[in-house]
Amino acid sequence: MGLRVLRVRLAAIATVTAFGVAAAVAGAAPVSLTVVHSAQNGALGKILVSASGRTLYHDASERKNVVKCLGSCASQWPPLVVAAGAKPVPGPGVTASLLGTVKRPDGKLQVTYAGLPLYLFAGDGKAGDAKGQGVGGIWHALTPSGAIVTKTVKVSSGTTSGSGSTSGSGSTSGSGSSTGSGTGTGTGGGTGGDTGGTDCATNPGGYGCM
């Protein structure tokens, strides 16, 4: 009887230990964190970026802790969000006290900086891109101090196209007609040595008559 009780107790202890190990493993699993960094951008200077280095923007039409970018706007400008109950993590150069969250109408928590909601831009393909800067005159990057960056980004297409044509046409046309009729009658004889024997009276256009 005592042996049976001992076995039951050992089984119970083994079960509790297994649960404890499982919980410890689960607790040690990596947690996805929303980190805000600062980075030097070639066109804009030092700005706020996401953990992957993508530029973070603010909509100037939104006041502090106010979200207006919804629906199709949020598709073009995805909000930077954190999991429920989580807090954004400051990276190097970012002031932790300026980081916060605001609850969006869809219930998600959006990261804010100095109270300004932060967004990504769907048109930025890689870290360092800032194609959303100045779009619509309202979208701007932020500095680590929380100031709005107003610099513009020059977009270079890398292609130069030009067309030029020079055409000229000239025509010179002239028409002239001379009509003359003359009738002369006369009688005479003689030779004209100076005219080479031509009768200038009857042939005034002949050789030596002009």
Side-chain angles (χ1 to χ4, degrees):
M1 185 70 178
L3 183 59
R4 184 178 180 183
V5 171
L6 181 59
R7 287 178 178 174
V8 171
R9 287 180 178 177
L10 289 174
I13 292 172
T15 302
V16 171
T17 302
F19 276 114
V21 171
V25 172
V31 178
S32 179
L33 300 176
T34 301
V35 184
V36 177
H37 294 274
S38 68
Q40 186 70 29
N41 183 277
L44 303 178
K46 189 160 286 189
I47 59 173
L48 297 180
V49 297
S50 68
S52 60
R54 292 182 62 187
T55 302
L56 294 173
Y57 302 89
H58 168 65
D59 179 356
S61 68
E62 294 180 348
R63 298 186 305 276
K64 288 187 176 182
N65 297 311
V66 174
V67 173
K68 293 183 179 180
C69 185
L70 307 169
S72 60
C73 173
S75 298
Q76 187 74 6
W77 300 89
L80 184 68
V81 297
V82 295
K87 291 183 179 180
V89 179
V94 175
T95 304
S97 61
L98 295 179
L99 279 174
T101 58
V102 61
K103 192 172 184 179
R104 293 175 56 82
D106 58 9
K108 294 180 180 179
L109 290 178
Q110 183 170 352
V111 180
T112 62
Y113 198 75
L116 304 177
L118 299 179
Y119 297 85
L120 300 164
F121 178 49
D124 288 343
K126 63 183 184 301
D129 283 353
K131 298 176 183 177
Q133 176 68 8
V135 170
I138 61 173
W139 291 97
H140 300 93
L142 297 177
T143 69
S145 67
I148 294 175
V149 179
T150 57
K151 292 181 181 179
T152 57
V153 176
K154 293 182 180 180
V155 178
S156 176
S157 63
T159 58
T160 304
S161 60
S163 61
S165 61
T166 303
S167 61
S169 61
S171 62
T172 304
S173 61
S175 61
S177 61
S178 291
T179 306
S181 61
T183 306
T185 59
T187 60
T191 60
D194 293 337
T195 60
T198 302
D199 187 354
C200 293
T202 59
N203 188 13
Y207 178 81
C209 297
M210 297 296 294

